[in-house]
């Protein structure tokens, strides 16, 4: 069954658009056939981008009757798929109008933008296009059941899901944390500094922020040999990762890591939480303990 843009009429947000697409395509195969979807939705051409300094572009007219998507040459298949889905988001979201001359030119930074802190209109469009791409390539109704199959989240599961959905490990890391029922966090370090931190809703707040340099306790003891080799699961001290109150919620904390390339490490933390009653009892003991 092919799609028609008329069937998407009235869906304005990334979430509404993807929900409508999934409803119209209940038999959607994995990995999501992004180029076939583009063809159904009036993208008449996907070609290489020759302009330096940009990852992808959308060429369309003022009313977005049809469009062409261009992607920088030499990128991995997973990165290319995300770029195509990102530009399709610009094309389908009604409020996204090309800044100049019927063109969206998107940089690598814009394709990684996850939040719009400055309330800038262009930044907001990039964030929405990224959300559309993530939802379309990793549909939550197809991802959540797979996450629930494993009680102990592991990097091996994340890698397998990235292959199933044909996305990068970085893209899957965010979805892995966002839709996981378990208290889990996925961190990405570059040259010893934290550049990504994705956390499930049930995971207590970590005592580390973007741009922070890793301590020896956080990245030092558990080393691996070779890129793409996954370390063994190891138990780590809660105080290494959490402030006092958050640490009291955690009974045990396990850690794994995997070098993605030279200088870049993906790390997964999984917490076993105390019962709420037990945490409250511990807090009461701490508050009433006499101090001399």
């Amino acid at each position: 069954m092919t799609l028609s843009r008329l069937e998407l009429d009235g869906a304005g947000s990334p979430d509404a658009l993807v929900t409508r697409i999934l409803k119209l395509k209940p038999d959607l195969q994995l990995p999501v056939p992004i180029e076939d979807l583009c063809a159904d939705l009036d993208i008449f051409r996907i070609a290489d981008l020759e302009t330096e300094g940009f990852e992808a572009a959308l060429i369309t007219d003022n009313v977005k009757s049809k469009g062409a998507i261009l992607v920088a040459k030499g990128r991995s298949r997973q990165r290319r798929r995300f770029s195509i889905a990102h530009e399709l988001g610009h094309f389908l979201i009604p409020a996204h109008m090309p800044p100049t001359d019927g063109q969206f030119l998107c940089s690598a930074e814009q394709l990684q933008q996850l939040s719009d802190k400055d309330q800038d209109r262009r930044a907001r469009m990039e964030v929405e296009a990224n959300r559309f791409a993530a939802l379309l390539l990793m549909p939550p109704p197809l991802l959540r059941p797979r996450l629930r199959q494993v009680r102990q989240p592991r990097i091996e599961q994340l890698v397998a899901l990235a292959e199933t959905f044909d996305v990068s490990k970085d893209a899957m890391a965010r979805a892995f944390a966002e839709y996981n029922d378990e208290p889990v966090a996925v961190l990405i370090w570059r040259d010893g500094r934290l550049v990504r931190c994705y956390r499930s809703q049930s995971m207590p707040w970590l005592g580390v922020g973007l741009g922070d340099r890793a301590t020896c306790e956080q990245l030092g003891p558990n080393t691996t040999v070779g890129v793409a080799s996954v370390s063994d699961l190891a138990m780590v001290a809660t105080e290494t990762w959490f402030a006092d109150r958050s640490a009291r919620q955690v009974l045990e904390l396990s850690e794994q890591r995997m070098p993605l390339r030279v200088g870049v490490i993906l790390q997964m933390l999984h917490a076993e939480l105390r019962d709420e009653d037990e945490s409250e009892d511990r807090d009461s003991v701490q508050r009433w303990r006499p101090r001399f």
Side-chain angles (χ1 to χ4, degrees):
M1 175 184 174
T2 59
L3 281 175
S4 165
R5 286 175 68 195
L6 290 175
E7 296 173 298
L8 302 182
D9 189 45
S13 69
D15 299 65
L17 282 165
V18 173
T19 299
R20 185 77 59 86
I21 290 171
L22 294 178
K23 184 176 181 180
L24 294 169
K25 300 277 287 185
D27 56 346
L28 192 66
Q29 299 296 309
L30 293 178
V32 171
I34 185 61
E35 297 195 28
D36 292 342
L37 288 177
C38 285
D40 288 345
L41 297 169
D42 299 325
I43 297 295
F44 67 91
R45 185 164 66 100
I46 298 174
D48 291 335
L49 176 65
E50 303 294 342
T51 305
E52 294 293 331
F54 294 96
E55 286 294 308
L58 168 69
I59 311 299
T60 185
D61 53 33
N62 290 334
V63 294
K64 296 201 286 189
S65 60
K66 59 183 180 179
I69 291 175
L70 308 177
V71 182
K73 289 193 290 187
R75 301 301 186 258
S76 68
R77 184 181 67 255
Q78 293 80 12
R79 190 165 180 176
R80 175 183 170 84
R81 282 168 50 78
F82 193 90
S83 295
I84 291 171
H86 175 99
E87 299 305 329
L88 180 62
H90 282 317
F91 186 65
L92 294 180
I93 298 172
H96 289 201
M97 299 308 297
T100 56
D101 302 326
Q103 296 183 10
F104 278 99
L105 285 169
C106 301
S107 65
E109 291 76 16
Q110 288 168 328
L111 266 77
Q112 296 175 348
Q113 197 161 353
L114 303 178
S115 64
D116 171 28
K117 296 180 180 179
D118 300 326
Q119 299 296 312
D120 176 77
R121 180 174 178 273
R122 179 61 195 271
R124 184 167 61 251
M125 288 193 293
E126 297 305 328
V127 170
E128 290 178 348
N130 284 330
R131 178 161 179 79
F132 173 86
L135 290 171
L136 184 60
L137 295 178
M138 298 169 286
L142 302 182
L143 178 59
R144 280 195 177 102
R146 289 169 168 81
L147 291 174
R148 290 169 180 154
Q149 291 175 0
V150 178
R151 174 67 177 82
Q152 168 71 61
R154 297 182 67 103
I155 288 180
E156 292 90 341
Q157 184 193 17
L158 187 155
V159 172
L161 288 170
E163 293 175 355
T164 299
F165 288 81
D166 202 7
V167 297
S168 69
K169 298 177 185 67
D170 191 334
M172 179 53 70
R174 185 187 184 200
F176 189 93
E178 183 174 356
Y179 302 115
N180 213 307
D181 295 333
E182 288 293 314
V184 65
V186 183
L187 301 86
I188 297 179
W189 304 85
R190 182 180 294 122
D191 298 328
R193 291 192 180 275
L194 186 64
V195 294
R196 297 274 191 280
C197 182
Y198 308 119
R199 184 181 62 88
S200 65
Q201 288 188 348
S202 57
M203 184 70 162
W205 284 101
L206 299 176
V208 60
L210 296 181
D212 288 355
R213 182 169 289 281
T215 66
C216 290
E217 291 78 12
Q218 290 167 343
L219 276 183
N222 191 5
T223 59
T224 59
V225 178
V227 173
S229 59
V230 182
S231 71
D232 294 331
L233 201 67
M235 306 307 296
V236 293
T238 57
E239 293 79 8
T240 301
W241 291 100
F242 300 103
D244 289 346
R245 183 169 180 80
S246 293
R248 290 196 291 272
Q249 300 176 47
V250 180
L251 182 62
E252 289 183 338
L253 185 66
S254 61
E255 181 257 9
Q256 261 188 310
R257 72 184 64 138
M258 173 185 182
L260 299 179
R261 52 189 178 274
V262 176
V264 180
I265 295 175
L266 183 147
Q267 185 177 38
M268 184 179 293
L269 301 173
H270 175 238
E272 192 74 31
L273 301 183
R274 300 181 186 277
D275 293 337
E276 290 186 7
D277 292 343
E278 184 181 355
S279 295
E280 290 176 2
D281 290 343
R282 285 172 59 87
D283 286 345
S284 298
V285 169
Q286 292 291 336
R287 284 195 298 269
W288 288 102
R289 180 175 294 165
R291 301 181 183 277
F292 299 96

